[in-house]
Coordinates of all heavy atoms in Angstrom, one line a residue:
N131 N 6.2 -66.4 -92.0 CA 7.5 -66.3 -92.7 C 8.1 -64.9 -92.3 O 7.3 -64.0 -92.1 CB 7.3 -66.4 -94.2 CG 6.9 -67.8 -94.6 OD1 7.3 -68.8 -94.0 ND2 6.1 -67.9 -95.7
W132 N 9.4 -64.9 -92.3 CA 10.1 -63.6 -91.9 C 9.7 -62.5 -92.8 O 9.6 -61.3 -92.4 CB 11.6 -63.9 -92.0 CG 12.3 -62.8 -91.2 CD1 13.0 -61.7 -91.8 CD2 12.5 -62.6 -89.8 NE1 13.5 -60.9 -90.8 CE2 13.3 -61.5 -89.6 CE3 12.1 -63.4 -88.7 CZ2 13.6 -61.0 -88.3 CZ3 12.4 -63.0 -87.4 CH2 13.2 -61.8 -87.2
E133 N 9.5 -62.8 -94.1 CA 9.2 -61.7 -95.1 C 7.7 -61.2 -95.0 O 7.4 -60.2 -95.5 CB 9.4 -62.2 -96.5 CG 10.8 -62.6 -96.9 CD 11.3 -63.9 -96.2 OE1 10.4 -64.8 -95.9 OE2 12.5 -64.0 -95.9
D134 N 6.9 -62.0 -94.3 CA 5.4 -61.6 -94.1 C 5.3 -60.5 -93.1 O 6.2 -60.1 -92.4 CB 4.6 -62.8 -93.7 CG 4.6 -63.9 -94.7 OD1 4.9 -63.6 -95.9 OD2 4.3 -65.1 -94.4
E135 N 4.0 -60.1 -92.9 CA 3.7 -59.1 -91.9 C 4.1 -59.8 -90.5 O 4.1 -61.0 -90.4 CB 2.2 -58.8 -91.9 CG 1.8 -57.9 -93.0 CD 2.4 -56.5 -92.9 OE1 2.2 -55.8 -91.9 OE2 3.2 -56.1 -93.8
P136 N 4.3 -59.0 -89.5 CA 4.6 -59.6 -88.2 C 3.5 -60.5 -87.7 O 2.3 -60.2 -88.0 CB 4.8 -58.3 -87.2 CG 5.2 -57.2 -88.2 CD 4.5 -57.5 -89.5
P137 N 3.8 -61.5 -86.9 CA 2.8 -62.4 -86.4 C 1.9 -61.7 -85.4 O 2.3 -60.6 -84.9 CB 3.6 -63.6 -85.8 CG 4.9 -62.9 -85.4 CD 5.2 -61.9 -86.4
D138 N 0.8 -62.3 -85.0 CA -0.1 -61.8 -84.0 C 0.4 -62.1 -82.6 O -0.3 -62.6 -81.7 CB -1.5 -62.4 -84.2 CG -2.5 -61.3 -84.3 OD1 -2.1 -60.1 -84.1 OD2 -3.7 -61.6 -84.5
I139 N 1.7 -61.7 -82.4 CA 2.4 -62.0 -81.1 C 3.1 -60.7 -80.7 O 3.7 -60.0 -81.5 CB 3.4 -63.1 -81.3 CG1 2.8 -64.4 -81.6 CG2 4.3 -63.2 -80.0 CD1 3.7 -65.5 -82.0
H140 N 3.0 -60.4 -79.4 CA 3.6 -59.1 -78.9 C 4.3 -59.4 -77.6 O 3.8 -60.2 -76.8 CB 2.5 -58.0 -78.7 CG 1.9 -57.6 -80.0 ND1 2.2 -56.5 -80.7 CD2 0.8 -58.2 -80.7 CE1 1.5 -56.4 -81.8 NE2 0.6 -57.4 -81.8
I141 N 5.4 -58.7 -77.4 CA 6.1 -58.7 -76.1 C 5.9 -57.3 -75.5 O 6.3 -56.4 -76.2 CB 7.6 -59.1 -76.2 CG1 7.7 -60.6 -76.8 CG2 8.3 -59.0 -74.9 CD1 9.1 -61.0 -77.2
I142 N 5.5 -57.3 -74.3 CA 5.2 -56.0 -73.6 C 5.9 -56.1 -72.2 O 5.8 -57.1 -71.6 CB 3.7 -55.6 -73.5 CG1 3.1 -55.5 -74.9 CG2 3.5 -54.4 -72.7 CD1 1.6 -55.3 -75.0
G143 N 6.5 -55.0 -71.8 CA 7.0 -55.1 -70.4 C 7.5 -53.7 -69.9 O 8.2 -53.0 -70.6
N144 N 7.2 -53.5 -68.6 CA 7.8 -52.4 -67.8 C 9.0 -53.0 -67.1 O 8.9 -53.6 -66.1 CB 6.8 -51.8 -66.8 CG 7.4 -50.8 -65.9 OD1 8.4 -50.2 -66.2 ND2 6.9 -50.7 -64.7
L145 N 10.2 -53.0 -67.8 CA 11.3 -53.8 -67.3 C 12.1 -53.1 -66.2 O 12.2 -51.8 -66.2 CB 12.3 -53.9 -68.5 CG 11.8 -54.5 -69.8 CD1 12.9 -54.5 -70.8 CD2 11.3 -56.0 -69.6
P146 N 12.5 -53.9 -65.2 CA 13.4 -53.3 -64.2 C 14.7 -52.8 -64.9 O 15.2 -53.4 -65.8 CB 13.8 -54.5 -63.3 CG 12.7 -55.5 -63.5 CD 12.3 -55.3 -64.9
F147 N 15.2 -51.6 -64.5 CA 16.3 -51.0 -65.1 C 17.5 -51.9 -65.2 O 18.3 -51.9 -66.2 CB 16.7 -49.7 -64.4 CG 15.7 -48.6 -64.5 CD1 15.6 -47.6 -63.6 CD2 14.8 -48.6 -65.6 CE1 14.7 -46.6 -63.7 CE2 13.8 -47.6 -65.7 CZ 13.8 -46.6 -64.7
S148 N 17.7 -52.8 -64.1 CA 18.9 -53.6 -64.1 C 18.9 -54.7 -65.2 O 19.9 -55.3 -65.5 CB 19.0 -54.3 -62.7 OG 17.8 -55.1 -62.5
V149 N 17.7 -55.0 -65.7 CA 17.5 -56.1 -66.7 C 17.4 -55.6 -68.1 O 17.7 -56.3 -69.0 CB 16.3 -56.9 -66.2 CG1 15.6 -57.6 -67.4 CG2 16.7 -58.0 -65.2
S150 N 16.9 -54.3 -68.3 CA 16.5 -53.9 -69.6 C 17.6 -53.9 -70.7 O 17.3 -54.4 -71.8 CB 15.9 -52.5 -69.5 OG 16.9 -51.6 -69.0
T151 N 18.8 -53.5 -70.4 CA 19.9 -53.5 -71.4 C 20.3 -54.9 -71.8 O 20.3 -55.3 -72.9 CB 21.0 -52.6 -71.1 OG1 20.5 -51.3 -70.8 CG2 22.0 -52.5 -72.2
P152 N 20.7 -55.8 -70.8 CA 21.1 -57.1 -71.2 C 20.0 -57.9 -71.9 O 20.2 -58.7 -72.8 CB 21.4 -57.8 -69.8 CG 21.1 -56.9 -68.7 CD 20.9 -55.5 -69.3
L153 N 18.7 -57.6 -71.5 CA 17.6 -58.3 -72.1 C 17.4 -57.9 -73.6 O 17.2 -58.7 -74.5 CB 16.3 -58.1 -71.3 CG 15.1 -58.9 -71.8 CD1 15.4 -60.4 -71.8 CD2 13.9 -58.6 -70.9
I154 N 17.5 -56.6 -73.9 CA 17.3 -56.1 -75.2 C 18.5 -56.6 -76.1 O 18.3 -57.0 -77.3 CB 17.1 -54.6 -75.4 CG1 16.5 -54.3 -76.8 CG2 18.3 -53.8 -75.1 CD1 15.2 -54.9 -77.1
I155 N 19.7 -56.7 -75.6 CA 20.8 -57.2 -76.4 C 20.6 -58.7 -76.7 O 20.8 -59.1 -77.8 CB 22.2 -57.0 -75.6 CG1 22.6 -55.5 -75.6 CG2 23.3 -57.9 -76.2 CD1 23.0 -55.0 -76.9
K156 N 20.1 -59.4 -75.7 CA 19.8 -60.8 -75.9 C 18.7 -61.0 -77.0 O 18.8 -61.8 -77.9 CB 19.3 -61.5 -74.6 CG 18.8 -62.9 -74.7 CD 18.3 -63.4 -73.3 CE 18.1 -64.9 -73.3 NZ 16.9 -65.3 -74.0
W157 N 17.6 -60.2 -76.9 CA 16.6 -60.3 -77.9 C 17.0 -59.8 -79.3 O 16.6 -60.3 -80.3 CB 15.3 -59.5 -77.4 CG 14.5 -60.3 -76.5 CD1 14.5 -61.7 -76.4 CD2 13.5 -59.9 -75.5 NE1 13.6 -62.1 -75.4 CE2 13.0 -61.0 -74.9 CE3 13.1 -58.6 -75.2 CZ2 12.0 -61.0 -73.9 CZ3 12.1 -58.5 -74.2 CH2 11.6 -59.7 -73.5
L158 N 17.9 -58.8 -79.3 CA 18.4 -58.4 -80.7 C 19.3 -59.5 -81.3 O 19.2 -59.8 -82.5 CB 19.3 -57.1 -80.5 CG 18.5 -55.9 -80.2 CD1 19.5 -54.7 -79.8 CD2 17.6 -55.4 -81.3
E159 N 20.0 -60.3 -80.4 CA 20.7 -61.5 -81.0 C 19.7 -62.5 -81.5 O 19.9 -63.1 -82.5 CB 21.6 -62.1 -79.9 CG 22.4 -63.2 -80.4 CD 23.5 -63.7 -79.4 OE1 23.6 -63.1 -78.3 OE2 24.2 -64.6 -79.7
N160 N 18.6 -62.7 -80.7 CA 17.5 -63.6 -81.2 C 17.0 -63.1 -82.5 O 16.7 -63.9 -83.4 CB 16.4 -63.7 -80.2 CG 16.8 -64.4 -78.9 OD1 16.3 -64.1 -77.8 ND2 17.6 -65.4 -79.0
V161 N 16.8 -61.8 -82.7 CA 16.3 -61.3 -84.0 C 17.2 -61.7 -85.1 O 16.8 -62.1 -86.2 CB 16.1 -59.7 -83.9 CG1 15.8 -59.2 -85.3 CG2 15.0 -59.3 -83.0
S162 N 18.5 -61.4 -84.8 CA 19.6 -61.7 -85.8 C 19.5 -63.2 -86.3 O 19.7 -63.5 -87.4 CB 20.9 -61.3 -85.3 OG 22.0 -61.7 -86.1
K163 N 19.3 -64.1 -85.3 CA 19.4 -65.5 -85.5 C 18.0 -66.1 -85.8 O 17.8 -67.3 -86.1 CB 20.0 -66.2 -84.4 CG 21.5 -65.8 -84.2 CD 22.1 -66.4 -83.0 CE 23.6 -66.0 -82.9 NZ 24.3 -66.4 -81.7
R164 N 17.0 -65.2 -85.7 CA 15.6 -65.7 -85.9 C 15.2 -66.8 -85.0 O 14.5 -67.8 -85.5 CB 15.3 -66.0 -87.4 CG 15.6 -64.8 -88.3 CD 15.3 -65.0 -89.7 NE 15.8 -63.9 -90.5 CZ 15.6 -63.8 -91.9 NH1 15.1 -64.8 -92.5 NH2 16.0 -62.8 -92.5
D165 N 15.6 -66.8 -83.8 CA 15.2 -67.8 -82.8 C 14.6 -67.1 -81.6 O 14.3 -65.9 -81.6 CB 16.4 -68.7 -82.5 CG 17.6 -68.0 -81.8 OD1 17.4 -66.8 -81.5 OD2 18.7 -68.5 -81.7
G166 N 14.4 -67.9 -80.5 CA 13.7 -67.3 -79.3 C 12.3 -66.9 -79.7 O 11.6 -67.6 -80.5
P167 N 11.9 -65.7 -79.3 CA 10.5 -65.2 -79.6 C 10.4 -64.9 -81.1 O 9.3 -64.7 -81.5 CB 10.4 -64.0 -78.7 CG 11.7 -63.6 -78.3 CD 12.6 -64.8 -78.3
F168 N 11.5 -64.9 -81.8 CA 11.4 -64.5 -83.2 C 11.4 -65.8 -84.2 O 11.5 -65.7 -85.4 CB 12.6 -63.6 -83.6 CG 12.6 -62.4 -82.6 CD1 13.4 -62.4 -81.5 CD2 11.7 -61.4 -82.8 CE1 13.4 -61.4 -80.6 CE2 11.6 -60.3 -81.9 CZ 12.5 -60.3 -80.8
I169 N 11.2 -66.9 -83.5 CA 11.1 -68.2 -84.3 C 9.7 -68.1 -85.0 O 9.4 -68.8 -86.0 CB 11.2 -69.4 -83.4 CG1 11.7 -70.6 -84.2 CG2 10.0 -69.7 -82.5 CD1 12.2 -71.8 -83.4
Y170 N 8.8 -67.3 -84.5 CA 7.4 -67.1 -85.0 C 7.3 -66.1 -86.1 O 6.3 -65.9 -86.6 CB 6.5 -66.7 -83.9 CG 6.5 -67.7 -82.7 CD1 7.3 -67.6 -81.6 CD2 5.6 -68.9 -82.8 CE1 7.3 -68.5 -80.6 CE2 5.7 -69.8 -81.7 CZ 6.5 -69.6 -80.7 OH 6.5 -70.5 -79.6
G171 N 8.5 -65.4 -86.4 CA 8.5 -64.3 -87.3 C 8.9 -63.0 -86.7 O 9.5 -63.0 -85.6
R172 N 8.5 -61.9 -87.2 CA 9.0 -60.6 -86.8 C 8.2 -60.0 -85.6 O 7.5 -59.0 -85.7 CB 9.1 -59.6 -87.9 CG 10.1 -60.0 -89.0 CD 10.3 -59.0 -90.1 NE 9.1 -58.8 -90.9 CZ 8.5 -57.6 -91.1 NH1 9.0 -56.6 -90.4 NH2 7.5 -57.5 -91.8
T173 N 8.3 -60.8 -84.5 CA 7.5 -60.4 -83.3 C 7.8 -59.0 -82.8 O 9.0 -58.6 -82.7 CB 7.9 -61.4 -82.2 OG1 7.5 -62.7 -82.6 CG2 7.1 -61.1 -80.9
Q174 N 6.8 -58.2 -82.5 CA 7.0 -56.8 -82.1 C 7.2 -56.7 -80.6 O 6.6 -57.5 -79.8 CB 5.8 -56.0 -82.6 CG 5.7 -55.9 -84.1 CD 4.5 -55.1 -84.5 OE1 4.5 -53.9 -84.5 NE2 3.4 -55.8 -84.9
M175 N 7.9 -55.7 -80.1 CA 8.2 -55.5 -78.7 C 7.9 -54.1 -78.3 O 8.2 -53.2 -79.1 CB 9.6 -55.8 -78.4 CG 10.1 -57.2 -78.8 SD 11.8 -57.5 -78.3 CE 12.7 -56.6 -79.6
T176 N 7.2 -53.9 -77.2 CA 7.0 -52.6 -76.6 C 7.5 -52.6 -75.2 O 6.9 -53.3 -74.3 CB 5.5 -52.2 -76.6 OG1 5.0 -52.5 -78.0 CG2 5.2 -50.8 -76.2
L177 N 8.6 -51.9 -74.9 CA 9.3 -52.1 -73.6 C 9.7 -50.7 -73.0 O 9.8 -49.7 -73.8 CB 10.6 -52.9 -73.8 CG 10.4 -54.2 -74.5 CD1 11.8 -54.7 -75.0 CD2 9.7 -55.2 -73.6
T178 N 9.8 -50.7 -71.7 CA 10.3 -49.4 -71.0 C 11.7 -49.5 -70.7 O 12.3 -50.6 -70.4 CB 9.5 -49.2 -69.7 OG1 9.7 -50.3 -68.8 CG2 8.0 -49.1 -70.0
F179 N 12.4 -48.3 -70.8 CA 13.8 -48.2 -70.5 C 14.0 -46.8 -69.8 O 13.2 -45.9 -69.9 CB 14.7 -48.1 -71.8 CG 14.6 -49.4 -72.6 CD1 13.6 -49.5 -73.6 CD2 15.5 -50.4 -72.4 CE1 13.5 -50.7 -74.3 CE2 15.4 -51.6 -73.1 CZ 14.5 -51.7 -74.1
Q180 N 15.1 -46.7 -69.1 CA 15.5 -45.4 -68.6 C 15.5 -44.4 -69.8 O 15.9 -44.8 -70.9 CB 16.9 -45.4 -68.0 CG 17.0 -46.1 -66.6 CD 18.4 -45.9 -66.0 OE1 19.0 -44.9 -66.0 NE2 19.0 -47.0 -65.6
K181 N 15.1 -43.2 -69.6 CA 15.0 -42.2 -70.7 C 16.3 -42.2 -71.5 O 16.3 -42.2 -72.7 CB 14.7 -40.9 -70.1 CG 14.5 -39.8 -71.2 CD 14.3 -38.4 -70.5 CE 14.3 -37.3 -71.6 NZ 14.4 -36.0 -71.0
E182 N 17.4 -42.2 -70.8 CA 18.7 -42.1 -71.5 C 19.0 -43.3 -72.4 O 19.5 -43.2 -73.5 CB 19.8 -42.0 -70.4 CG 21.2 -41.7 -70.9 CD 22.2 -41.7 -69.8 OE1 22.2 -40.8 -68.9 OE2 23.1 -42.5 -69.8
V183 N 18.6 -44.5 -71.9 CA 18.7 -45.7 -72.7 C 17.8 -45.6 -73.9 O 18.2 -46.0 -75.1 CB 18.5 -47.0 -71.9 CG1 18.6 -48.2 -72.8 CG2 19.5 -47.1 -70.7
G184 N 16.6 -45.1 -73.7 CA 15.7 -44.9 -74.8 C 16.2 -44.0 -75.9 O 16.1 -44.2 -77.1
E185 N 16.9 -42.9 -75.4 CA 17.6 -42.0 -76.4 C 18.7 -42.7 -77.1 O 18.9 -42.4 -78.3 CB 18.1 -40.8 -75.6 CG 16.9 -39.8 -75.2 CD 17.4 -38.8 -74.2 OE1 18.5 -38.8 -73.7 OE2 16.5 -37.9 -73.9
R186 N 19.5 -43.5 -76.4 CA 20.6 -44.2 -77.1 C 20.0 -45.2 -78.2 O 20.6 -45.3 -79.3 CB 21.4 -45.0 -76.1 CG 22.3 -44.2 -75.3 CD 23.2 -45.1 -74.4 NE 23.6 -44.4 -73.2 CZ 23.8 -45.0 -72.1 NH1 23.7 -46.3 -71.9 NH2 24.2 -44.3 -71.0
L187 N 18.9 -45.9 -77.9 CA 18.4 -46.8 -78.8 C 17.9 -46.2 -80.1 O 18.0 -46.8 -81.2 CB 17.2 -47.5 -78.2 CG 17.5 -48.6 -77.1 CD1 16.3 -48.9 -76.2 CD2 18.0 -49.9 -77.8
T188 N 17.5 -44.9 -80.0 CA 17.0 -44.2 -81.2 C 17.9 -43.1 -81.8 O 17.5 -42.5 -82.7 CB 15.6 -43.6 -80.9 OG1 15.7 -42.8 -79.7 CG2 14.6 -44.7 -80.6
A189 N 19.1 -43.0 -81.2 CA 20.0 -41.8 -81.6 C 20.5 -41.9 -83.0 O 20.8 -43.0 -83.5 CB 21.2 -41.8 -80.6
N190 N 20.5 -40.8 -83.7 CA 21.0 -40.7 -85.1 C 22.5 -40.4 -85.1 O 23.0 -39.9 -84.1 CB 20.2 -39.6 -85.8 CG 18.8 -39.9 -86.0 OD1 18.4 -41.1 -86.3 ND2 17.9 -39.0 -85.8
P191 N 23.1 -40.6 -86.3 CA 24.6 -40.2 -86.4 C 24.8 -38.8 -86.0 O 24.0 -37.9 -86.4 CB 24.9 -40.5 -87.9 CG 23.9 -41.5 -88.3 CD 22.6 -41.2 -87.5
G192 N 25.9 -38.5 -85.3 CA 26.2 -37.1 -84.8 C 25.6 -36.8 -83.5 O 26.1 -35.8 -82.8
S193 N 24.6 -37.6 -83.0 CA 24.0 -37.3 -81.7 C 25.0 -37.8 -80.6 O 25.6 -38.8 -80.7 CB 22.7 -38.0 -81.6 OG 22.4 -38.2 -80.2
N194 N 25.1 -37.0 -79.5 CA 26.0 -37.4 -78.4 C 25.5 -38.8 -77.8 O 26.3 -39.4 -77.1 CB 26.0 -36.3 -77.3 CG 27.0 -35.3 -77.7 OD1 28.0 -35.6 -78.4 ND2 26.8 -34.1 -77.2
Q195 N 24.2 -39.1 -78.0 CA 23.7 -40.3 -77.4 C 24.0 -41.6 -78.3 O 23.7 -42.7 -77.9 CB 22.2 -40.2 -77.2 CG 21.8 -39.2 -76.1 CD 22.1 -39.6 -74.7 OE1 22.7 -40.7 -74.5 NE2 21.7 -38.8 -73.7
R196 N 24.5 -41.3 -79.4 CA 24.8 -42.4 -80.4 C 25.8 -43.4 -79.7 O 26.8 -43.0 -79.2 CB 25.4 -41.8 -81.7 CG 25.6 -42.8 -82.8 CD 24.4 -43.1 -83.6 NE 24.7 -43.7 -84.9 CZ 23.8 -44.2 -85.7 NH1 22.6 -44.2 -85.3 NH2 24.2 -44.7 -86.9
S197 N 25.5 -44.7 -79.7 CA 26.3 -45.6 -79.0 C 26.2 -47.0 -79.6 O 25.5 -47.2 -80.6 CB 25.8 -45.7 -77.5 OG 24.5 -46.3 -77.5

Side-chain angles (χ1 to χ4, degrees):
N131 291 325
W132 195 260
E133 297 71 29
D134 295 343
E135 285 298 299
D138 232 356
I139 295 173
H140 297 261
I141 297 171
I142 298 175
N144 172 28
L145 306 174
F147 294 155
S148 59
V149 151
S150 59
T151 304
L153 185 56
I154 195 59
I155 287 289
K156 177 182 187 287
W157 276 339
L158 289 169
E159 184 169 1
N160 289 146
V161 170
S162 174
K163 295 176 178 174
R164 300 182 187 182
D165 60 11
F168 307 97
I169 205 163
Y170 302 93
R172 297 185 296 121
T173 301
Q174 296 177 79
M175 302 182 283
T176 308
L177 307 166
T178 61
F179 298 89
Q180 286 184 50
K181 183 185 171 193
E182 189 182 295
V183 177
E185 286 168 352
R186 281 187 209 148
L187 284 161
T188 54
N190 293 318
S193 157
N194 276 336
Q195 294 288 8
R196 185 82 161 170
S197 67

